[in-house]
Amino acid sequence: MAEPVSRRVAIGMGAAAATLVATGRAAVAAPSGPVEPAVQASIAANRNKIRRTYGEQKTRAGGVWHSHIAMVNPAGVLEAVVEDDADHVTHGYSVQKLAVAVAVMDKIDRGELQLDQRLDLSADIILGGSGIYFLQTVWGDQVTVANFLTAMLLVSDNTAVRMCGRVVPALEINEILAAKGFTHTRVEPVANPNRFFLGVTTPRETHDLLWRLANKTLLSARSADFLLGILRWINGYHDGIRRNMSSTERSRIATKYGADFDDLGAARHEAGIMFDANGAPTLTYALFADSLGDLDNYGATHPAVQAHAVLGRVMFNAIAATTNRTAKARHAVDPFRPVNGG
């Protein structure tokens, strides 16, 4: 039997349609008044349940976990709930595509690139693994930057990573990330300056990226909304955190999954941010697990992915108790409601 080739190696061997915009909200509003003791007790109980569930699911799935979970407290301040080796430097695998997308959007914010700029999608740049472009079997398309960013974040397209490298080379990506204050989050350059391995990050830096993105302090509001709109879209990844949820609930979670394997075993990662019913960012999670078994199972039955699903339901239930802050007017039309049920 042929030896399997990891996704990281596949990307390094060589490095859609417009999305609806997420419901943009300011950071966390101050409470509208004193928090009732019963609400405080409920929030405390939910935080404890998240910690307990995390510990139980980590044990059940096995492997080595490095995680950070944070939730807004009754005072409207983000507070850590789980810090489990949160500064460990680890391969981000496809979660790292978040950082790549941020670098591309930063260049757009500076006016050096446009979302509608078109690049050719040639046969020699196509990668398999995850994504959609390799399924076409014939190529020659002219695709926009917006198109391949959507493909990279919504279906984790590996070819889209190479497309990003054509407009923002590896060294420039790392310079942008460093300028934004990230110490460890980097792509790994290769001989071709426009290609790269996806590189490393830490749970804490991934949390920071997500929180700043949702609060519009990492990129312009327009660029942040573009990325969050993709990450929150209901046709995205459902096997992990968002599995046991309705489409409406899923639309309140921006998430990115990553999976691969190395000499230590399988890795199954997921990171994202949950929004409360008023559209305010309320809970972040950055779950990185490696040294796992079941290397070739990239589906919902992988023990670590099952753990994500259980924890996702618990975390989402917990944020219901944090919506006592001053509400902002909601959009008259829900931007995540499918047209004609389609």
Side-chain angles (χ1 to χ4, degrees):
M1 180 181 296
E3 290 292 323
V5 177
S6 76
R7 297 183 183 188
R8 176 176 181 268
V9 170
I11 291 176
M13 284 172 61
T19 184
L20 293 175
V21 175
T23 309
R25 293 292 184 269
V28 176
S32 56
V35 180
E36 296 291 336
V39 173
Q40 292 180 333
S42 175
I43 292 172
N46 280 317
R47 294 170 67 88
N48 289 334
K49 187 172 183 179
I50 291 172
R51 293 189 190 99
R52 183 174 66 253
T53 303
Y54 172 81
E56 292 170 351
Q57 293 304 313
K58 171 185 171 180
T59 299
R60 182 170 294 141
V64 179
W65 288 57
H66 323 281
S67 303
H68 188 286
I69 301 173
M71 190 170 100
V72 171
N73 66 21
V77 177
L78 190 69
E79 185 177 299
V81 178
V82 171
E83 292 182 285
D84 182 5
D85 201 15
D87 295 308
H88 178 79
V89 179
T90 185
H91 287 292
Y93 298 122
S94 286
V95 170
Q96 202 78 342
K97 292 170 183 175
L98 291 170
V100 174
V102 165
V104 174
M105 296 307 297
D106 178 82
K107 196 164 184 175
I108 288 171
D109 281 346
R110 288 183 282 115
E112 298 178 12
L113 186 65
Q114 301 296 325
L115 273 178
D116 61 359
Q117 181 172 324
R118 295 178 182 273
L119 283 76
D120 60 305
L121 186 66
S122 57
D124 62 353
I125 204 170
I126 300 298
L127 276 177
S130 58
I132 54 173
Y133 292 134
F134 74 96
L135 296 170
Q136 294 181 190
T137 71
V138 294
W139 299 279
D141 317 51
Q142 291 287 317
V143 298
T144 62
V145 173
N147 182 301
F148 60 73
L149 283 176
T150 301
M152 184 174 72
L153 295 180
L154 191 68
V155 294
S156 205
D157 195 288
N158 287 331
T159 298
V161 176
R162 288 184 169 179
M163 298 293 279
C164 288
R166 290 173 64 185
V167 295
V168 191
L171 292 179
E172 186 177 359
I173 291 174
N174 286 341
E175 289 172 356
I176 291 170
L177 294 172
K180 290 186 177 297
F182 297 106
T183 302
H184 302 291
T185 304
R186 299 287 188 272
V187 298
E188 181 182 339
V190 295
N192 184 331
N194 298 106
R195 294 187 183 176
F196 48 85
F197 293 121
L198 284 169
V200 297
T201 188
T202 72
R204 195 182 306 278
E205 287 198 357
T206 300
H207 146 78
D208 185 48
L209 182 153
L210 290 162
W211 186 246
R212 290 166 62 190
L213 180 67
N215 284 282
K216 317 299 170 63
T217 60
L218 188 64
L219 297 167
S220 69
R222 182 175 182 179
S223 291
D225 282 341
F226 173 74
L227 296 185
L228 289 168
I230 301 168
L231 295 166
R232 291 176 64 175
W233 187 237
I234 59 174
N235 295 120
Y237 178 70
H238 293 157
D239 284 348
I241 293 293
R242 304 202 299 179
R243 187 193 311 180
N244 300 317
M245 298 184 186
S246 69
S247 57
T248 298
E249 291 172 331
R250 287 171 174 171
S251 74
R252 286 171 50 189
I253 302 173
T255 200
K256 185 70 190 75
Y257 175 57
D260 209 328
F261 63 85
D262 57 19
D263 292 341
L264 297 176
R268 298 293 180 267
H269 307 331
E270 191 168 0
I273 186 161
M274 296 183 175
F275 297 79
D276 72 12
N278 297 320
T282 302
L283 183 148
T284 64
Y285 55 91
L287 309 172
F288 294 83
D290 55 43
S291 305
L292 297 161
D294 219 359
L295 268 66
D296 294 320
N297 180 5
Y298 292 96
T301 60
H302 192 284
V305 179
Q306 291 179 320
H308 293 168
V310 173
L311 188 57
R313 185 70 257 178
V314 171
M315 291 190 299
F316 191 85
N317 289 346
I319 68 173
T322 68
T323 56
N324 60 311
R325 302 187 306 280
T326 301
K328 294 198 173 186
R330 301 190 68 186
H331 283 194
V333 178
D334 184 351
F336 295 100
R337 181 178 181 180
V339 178
N340 297 326

